[in-house]
Amino acid sequence: CFDRPAWYQRGLLLRLLAVALGTMAYCLSEDFENTSIKVLIPLFSAGLFICCMVCHGELARMKPHPRHLTSFYVMVALGGALGGVAVGLAAPRLFAGYFELEAGLAACALLVLLALRQDPESNLSKGWKTSQAAVAAALVAGLVVYLAMQVGAKTRSYDLLVRSFYGGLRVSDTGEPSETWAMRKLMHGTINHGTQYLNEVLRRRPTTYYGEKSGVGLAIRERQEYGSMKVGVIGLGTGTLAAYGREGDEYRFYEINPQVIELARTRFTYLADCRAHVEIALGDARLSLEREPPQGFDVLAVDAFSGDSIPVHLLTREAFELYLSHLRPGGVLAMHVSNKYLDLEPVVGMQAEEFGQGAVVVDTDDDDSDASVFGSTWVLISEREEFFERPAIQEAGQVVGFKKGLRLWTDDYSNLFQILR
């Protein structure tokens, strides 16, 4: 746009802008939460490109006489800095949820409308009473109202919204508290990070990805046959795995987000109801484990992977070496690899093979008899052959799948593109 005016075809790009803003606004509705990332990334990338072309094109048209260029470029740089401040500092304090994109789309439409109104060469400069100006103003107003309604609907559909550097968290109830099957859930982005029954009789039942037939459920139940046990959990969520705790057991959770800890303690009761001794270590799990002496976990569950993104440093060779050093001989490392976009199973399988450990995949479907128990995929790793000979493990376990051309992940190397679904 700044190279030469011919790059910015105002008439064409303004029409494309209207289509792009409307399409992106529509795709931000909750109806599109489960749309494939292969559709959303190209769509929003194209929309962003069109928005940038129009904004930069109009900015280039407003460029002043050369004697004022220094102040002009200072203001351009200041605008970029203010944008960073708005997203990095202001938005987390002003918005309870992630509403920057809605605000950005509305701001883009308003700014373009004002820029056209100020340009003598634009038909909008003749006043708001002209047909073109009236239509443009109506479209922008409609877009702003539609986005505001979307934000309002998302806000009203949850009982609590909080956000921090680590993401947005939402808590909501399904059903009335007096109903037997009423539940409370914690959402992080579009991913359910824990559900609990509100009924006092059912609220100690492990739900979501941690049912008794899940990989981690089988690992804990198998070890419980030997007496009291020590369990480590990377990723707290609602604290659902504490439902397995018994008198004499120890459960140690590692959680990086203090807001998750606060919600697990105040909005859910898994931790309070747990009969075992419960500890929570705040901070990055890997750094915490590096500072601690060997914990001697009977089961270490690594559940820090969201369906939206993963902390790669928890999947490297160095990380697995650390995990295994905190297991007691014969202990089980349970890796939760359920993911909408990435196939993490072969990555974990290669790490198990690297350290000479046995591994099986436990892949379960949604429980038809209990709507609170979801399908999940866990990779169970252990050096103990007896563990894999257990009937429950043999029945549920499957051979770990590998991927051709995949290299072992280390702190110096990883490749997400190779494991895209």
Side-chain angles (χ1 to χ4, degrees), residues 225-239:
E225 298 179 11
Y226 296 94
S228 60
M229 60 186 298
K230 186 172 185 178
V231 177
V233 183
I234 296 177
L236 174 63
T238 58

Side-chain angles (χ1 to χ4, degrees), residues 117-140:
R117 180 69 177 81
Q118 298 297 320
D119 185 358
E121 298 181 15
S122 169
N123 291 330
L124 272 63
S125 65
K126 300 175 182 179
W128 296 112
K129 294 183 180 180
T130 63
S131 59
Q132 286 185 330
V135 170
L139 288 174
V140 171

